[in-house]
Amino acid sequence: MSILEVKGVSKYFGGLAALNDINLTIEEGEIRGIIGPNGAGKTTLFNVISGVYQPTSGQIFYLEGKRIDGLSSDRIAEMGLVRTFQRTALYHNFTVLRNVTIARHLHARENIFGVFAGTVKKMEEENVKKALEIVEFMGLGRLKNELAANLPHGHQRALGIAIALACEPKLLLLDEPLTGMTPTEKAHMIDLIKKVHQKSITILIVEHDMRSVMELCNYISVLDFGKLLAEGVPAEIQNDETVITAYLGTEDILSLGGEEVAT
Ligand SMILES: Nc1ncnc2c1ncn2[C@@H]1O[C@H](COP(=O)(O)OP(=O)(O)OP(=O)(O)O)[C@@H](O)[C@H]1O
Ligand SMILES: [Mg+2]
């Protein structure tokens, strides 16, 4: 069963078609890769799906065919379609646990007016308990009382995903989760993404590191200049002539985005 359908979606910025008549169907349980050169429209696609931008034209359907284009990003997140950002958005001066607890509060939109003080305390305890479970699940238990600002980059990205998990996603959009990571951090993050996927969460992932994309994804959609250039299983995409051309003739697609980052 499909969890997301993008139908004829275009997004213009002035005269520039950042997305040009995109059609995508994502099945429940997939890890779908969205790849393409810089400026291809990948983040714009995420912005349009998650309600950060409205499409100029086209329609987007989620879960049992609910139309979500035109809804606010808050409403879409409440429905379980949650995204992370290309640059991690954290409360840097709050602890790891506080960051996730706040995300839970925001998600639950708790209306505490007219509620007994005792009930508020209980809600808070429940939120902290759930947040702690998520923090531990993401391998950050030991760092729960550390300020987000003090975490190494890899852990900050893991915290970004923990914050997304606080919203209980059914469909999670990850924008470049591996960027700027050391090989060790990358391997760890790939394991975490697989673990998240095992919680029955469908994942859409934009990533430049091709080896990781090929390892993680069951199916890949390629964007180029706002258009859907190709779709297929990893082995097909690696050998697709149009894809190789889009990446400026790079013969070995697997070598893309895999540069090592010094610690
Ligand atoms: N808010 C905006 N206003 C104007 N132009 C935009 C805006 N957002 C994106 N664009 C343009 O739309 C095109 C697609 O950008 P987008 O960020 O979606 O690419 P991308 O595939 O995510 O690239 P990257 O791999 O570098 O992150 C680019 O030409 C970009 O300059
Ligand atoms: Mg981008």
Side-chain angles (χ1 to χ4, degrees):
M1 202 172 65
S2 76
I3 189 165
L4 186 78
E5 270 198 64
V6 174
K7 281 196 177 163
V9 162
S10 297
K11 176 67 185 173
Y12 280 81
F13 295 110
L16 174 87
L19 296 174
N20 191 344
D21 193 23
I22 299 291
N23 291 289
L24 278 179
T25 302
I26 312 295
E27 300 297 327
E28 220 170 274
E30 279 199 60
I31 304 190
R32 171 73 62 98
I34 309 283
I35 66 169
N38 291 115
K42 305 178 298 294
T43 297
T44 304
L45 178 65
F46 273 16
N47 282 333
V48 164
I49 292 172
S50 60
V52 174
Y53 295 148
Q54 303 303 321
T56 309
S57 56
Q59 301 173 338
I60 304 173
F61 300 91
Y62 170 62
L63 287 178
E64 282 101 35
K66 288 188 205 104
R67 190 150 170 207
I68 57 165
D69 54 281
L71 300 183
S72 71
S73 53
D74 286 353
R75 180 74 197 99
I76 291 172
E78 268 173 25
M79 293 163 79
L81 197 169
V82 182
R83 67 170 301 180
T84 63
F85 287 84
Q86 196 161 344
R87 274 175 246 287
T88 312
L90 305 172
Y91 296 108
H92 282 92
N93 294 322
F94 288 159
T95 66
V96 165
L97 183 59
R98 192 81 198 123
N99 266 277
V100 181
T101 310
I102 290 169
R104 279 205 65 83
H105 280 302
L106 293 176
H107 177 61
R109 288 195 185 207
E110 285 147 352
N111 182 2
I112 55 169
F113 297 106
V115 175
F116 291 117
T119 314
V120 173
K121 190 160 176 276
K122 235 181 157 177
M123 281 155 77
E124 172 66 12
E125 281 168 6
E126 190 58 27
N127 269 331
V128 173
K129 192 171 149 235
K130 286 256 172 62
L132 188 57
E133 274 170 28
I134 294 167
V135 164
E136 281 170 353
F137 178 81
M138 290 304 291
L140 297 168
R142 203 168 42 82
L143 299 166
K144 64 176 190 280
N145 295 321
E146 197 63 60
L147 292 185
N150 295 340
L151 299 183
H153 177 73
H155 286 130
Q156 286 191 348
R157 299 307 300 255
L159 178 54
I161 297 180
I163 288 169
L165 291 183
C167 302
E168 298 176 20
K170 294 185 179 72
L171 175 61
L172 182 61
L173 276 44
L174 302 175
D175 198 354
E176 300 199 22
L178 305 173
T179 297
M181 288 193 174
T182 65
T184 316
E185 285 174 332
K186 273 186 193 174
H188 182 59
M189 180 54 85
I190 288 170
D191 286 345
L192 284 175
I193 293 170
K194 287 179 180 168
K195 238 175 92 174
V196 169
H197 179 239
Q198 280 163 13
K199 283 167 89 82
S200 300
I201 297 174
T202 306
I203 296 177
L204 239 102
I205 178 169
V206 163
E207 184 47 60
H208 283 290
D209 182 327
M210 288 304 152
R211 254 177 234 286
S212 304
V213 168
M214 301 293 166
E215 179 186 337
L216 270 170
C217 301
N218 62 299
Y219 205 73
I220 295 170
S221 304
V222 188
L223 292 184
D224 191 29
F225 291 113
K227 288 201 166 149
L228 190 61
L229 186 70
E231 284 194 310
V233 297
E236 288 168 340
I237 294 302
Q238 274 171 51
N239 299 309
D240 187 306
E241 284 302 323
T242 55
V243 178
I244 291 168
T245 309
Y247 279 107
L248 301 173
T250 308
E251 287 295 333
D252 181 12
I253 293 224
L254 279 183
S255 67
L256 290 166
E259 72 283 350
E260 298 194 354
V261 177
T263 29

